[in-house]
Amino acid sequence: MNREIYISENGLMLAEYLPSDCQADWLDWQDDETREGYNFIMDMPLSQYQNRTIRNRLYAVILRADSPDTPVGIVMISPPHGDPDLAIRVFAPYRGNGLGTAAFHLAAEYALAHMNIETLHAGCYEGNMRSQRMLLRCGFVRNPAGDQQEAHYVTGNPIMQYDYVFQGAI
């Protein structure tokens, strides 16, 4: 499969998102851990999801060199304008082995080196210790001034999304 590779390192690649990636992307939104991590339910049917307009500065698949046609996750930088925010979704079968940290680091490196971004934000919810540790390992620091209180997507109870920020070269 021919696709543009944005950046690669140590057998991991961030690459162009293709229509063939959509089903794996959509299936990830059906996962409870993904929903919890994003405080959001993507409830549109696959047919509608396939035809959505992607409005991100970057929306890339995470690939491994040993299986370059199988997406293992998504990295995105949004919004199209304003403070850039880096987010990641590692698909359920590939979680828990450091892939997220490596891909997040690679995406931050790409954003700073190739997208003319100087300051990059990232967020995670107060109970998501795994994401908090990942952000710190990638060189992000807590930015309490950017924290946002939200309503939990299921219960409606207040939860806090912590803001992290990275400035400078990786």
Side-chain angles (χ1 to χ4, degrees):
M1 182 177 307
N2 267 349
R3 68 168 90 220
E4 181 180 354
I5 305 299
Y6 300 131
I7 190 169
S8 65
E9 184 176 284
N10 298 325
L12 193 65
M13 301 174 278
L14 301 185
E16 174 185 15
Y17 183 88
L18 298 175
S20 59
D21 302 320
C22 193
Q23 184 162 356
D25 183 9
W26 179 82
L27 282 171
D28 184 57
W29 281 112
Q30 311 317 303
D31 178 72
D32 288 336
E33 191 174 343
T34 298
R35 291 173 172 186
E36 189 71 26
Y38 277 80
N39 193 39
F40 180 74
I41 294 177
M42 173 64 68
D43 58 0
M44 70 175 68
L46 176 59
S47 59
Q48 186 179 352
Y49 193 77
Q50 290 169 321
N51 293 313
R52 79 199 188 288
T53 300
I54 296 174
R55 293 185 175 97
N56 297 73
R57 293 179 194 209
L58 175 71
Y59 200 88
V61 292
I62 305 165
L63 302 171
R64 296 182 311 183
D66 62 354
S67 56
D69 295 329
T70 304
V72 298
I74 301 288
V75 293
M76 61 207 101
I77 299 176
S78 58
H81 308 287
D83 292 337
D85 183 79
L86 175 59
I88 188 170
R89 287 188 287 120
V90 174
F91 300 159
Y94 308 100
R95 293 178 188 148
N97 60 14
L99 183 62
T101 299
F104 203 86
H105 184 272
L106 200 57
E109 181 180 323
Y110 180 78
L112 296 171
H114 302 283
M115 295 181 70
N116 201 27
I117 292 174
E118 294 178 13
T119 302
L120 190 58
H121 290 263
C124 68
Y125 292 97
E126 57 192 328
N128 191 339
M129 301 308 294
R130 190 164 55 182
S131 288
Q132 290 176 43
R133 286 189 300 271
M134 178 199 71
L135 288 164
L136 294 172
R137 280 193 303 271
C138 288
F140 284 74
V141 296
R142 281 275 290 120
N143 179 35
D147 290 355
Q148 297 178 11
Q149 188 167 329
E150 299 177 12
H152 188 272
Y153 75 108
V154 173
T155 67
N157 294 333
I159 60 172
M160 185 66 67
Q161 183 177 146
Y162 292 155
D163 184 44
Y164 288 77
V165 68
F166 187 90
Q167 296 176 309
I170 296 228

